[in-house]
Amino acid sequence: MQLDHSFTVPADPDDAWKLFLDLDRVAPCMPGAVLDTLDGDTFTGRVKVKVGAVQMSYGGEGTVTRDESARSMFLDLSGSETRGSGTASATVTATLTADPAGTRVRVRTDLDITGRPAQFGRGIMTEVGDRIVQQFATRLEELLRDAGRPGPVAATSGATGTTDGLLPPEPEAVDLGAAALPVLLRKAAGPAAAVLVVAVVVQLLRRRSRR
């Protein structure tokens, strides 16, 4: 499925582009993700999600290609469940353009996913994507503001590089169930209303038959 999202960050395109080039700093802004290794344009990482009480962890790898003249990035990602048979692959194109509020970031994702999350339809996946992108944009905005303040910039959690060969800590799971619930409720509202009307009509007919 193809998903399209966009958001605005309060920085001019040149500064925003420089930040996007630094995957080591940008990756921790993505909810549920941690970057394990970064070697040139190739990286590995982990993603943890949960749906209700069920948690799923994915490990994967990716490559990034940059077009500086167009301020565009292309990511090719693939991964699989660490405990399960589910897989996920995606190609992501992010393009930065000037905007009156700073920089507009447009993200197009071609997603192919199998396993338990595949039960969600495109509408729910779009809603989930919107909420995750909103969280990512908020964290990215905070990172940009911190970078513009005088003094040393605090290190971001989940940065690449290991100590004594140890991987970065486990990422905090992003709750897909919480993100999908409003959509499920909206979808259920129509059928639920119809059932309620039928129940009321049946009750009225019963009362009349008793008179």
Side-chain angles (χ1 to χ4, degrees):
M1 68 182 72
Q2 189 176 87
L3 306 173
D4 292 285
H5 301 93
S6 63
F7 60 93
T8 303
V9 292
D12 65 71
D14 287 337
D15 289 340
W17 175 249
K18 290 178 183 177
L19 178 62
F20 267 82
L21 292 177
D22 192 350
L23 289 181
D24 209 8
R25 297 178 63 199
V26 172
C29 295
M30 181 60 67
V34 65
L35 192 62
D36 289 328
T37 65
L38 177 60
D39 183 9
D41 295 332
T42 304
F43 57 89
T44 63
R46 289 165 288 153
V47 175
K48 181 179 288 188
V49 300
K50 66 178 181 178
V51 182
V54 179
Q55 288 199 6
M56 293 162 284
S57 296
Y58 292 84
E61 59 186 10
T63 58
V64 57
T65 305
R66 304 174 179 87
D67 183 348
E68 188 166 358
S69 62
R71 294 197 187 97
S72 183
M73 297 179 65
F74 178 82
L75 293 96
D76 189 0
L77 311 170
S78 62
S80 58
E81 281 189 81
T82 55
R83 296 182 180 179
S85 58
T87 62
S89 62
T91 56
V92 182
T93 303
T95 305
L96 283 63
T97 56
D99 185 90
T103 300
R104 190 72 171 172
V105 183
R106 291 180 172 85
V107 182
R108 169 160 290 184
T109 304
D110 288 299
L111 177 65
D112 185 10
I113 191 166
T114 66
R116 287 169 288 183
Q119 64 185 302
F120 297 123
R122 187 181 186 281
I124 293 179
M125 292 301 293
T126 299
E127 182 79 8
V128 169
D130 286 344
R131 290 173 179 264
I132 291 177
V133 167
Q134 288 172 7
Q135 293 180 43
F136 174 73
T138 298
R139 295 179 182 182
L140 195 64
E141 183 176 342
E142 294 173 354
L143 184 60
L144 283 164
R145 288 176 176 171
D146 288 342
R149 293 170 184 163
V153 177
T156 54
S157 60
T160 58
T162 62
T163 302
D164 296 330
L166 297 177
L167 288 176
E170 280 291 310
E172 181 179 351
V174 58
D175 191 348
L176 298 186
L181 182 58
V183 184
L184 294 174
L185 290 177
R186 286 200 297 270
K187 287 190 173 185
V195 170
L196 180 60
V197 169
V198 171
V200 171
V201 171
V202 170
Q203 187 66 21
L204 289 174
L205 291 175
R206 284 180 178 177
R207 288 180 180 177
R208 290 180 179 178
S209 65
R210 291 173 183 173
R211 293 176 182 175

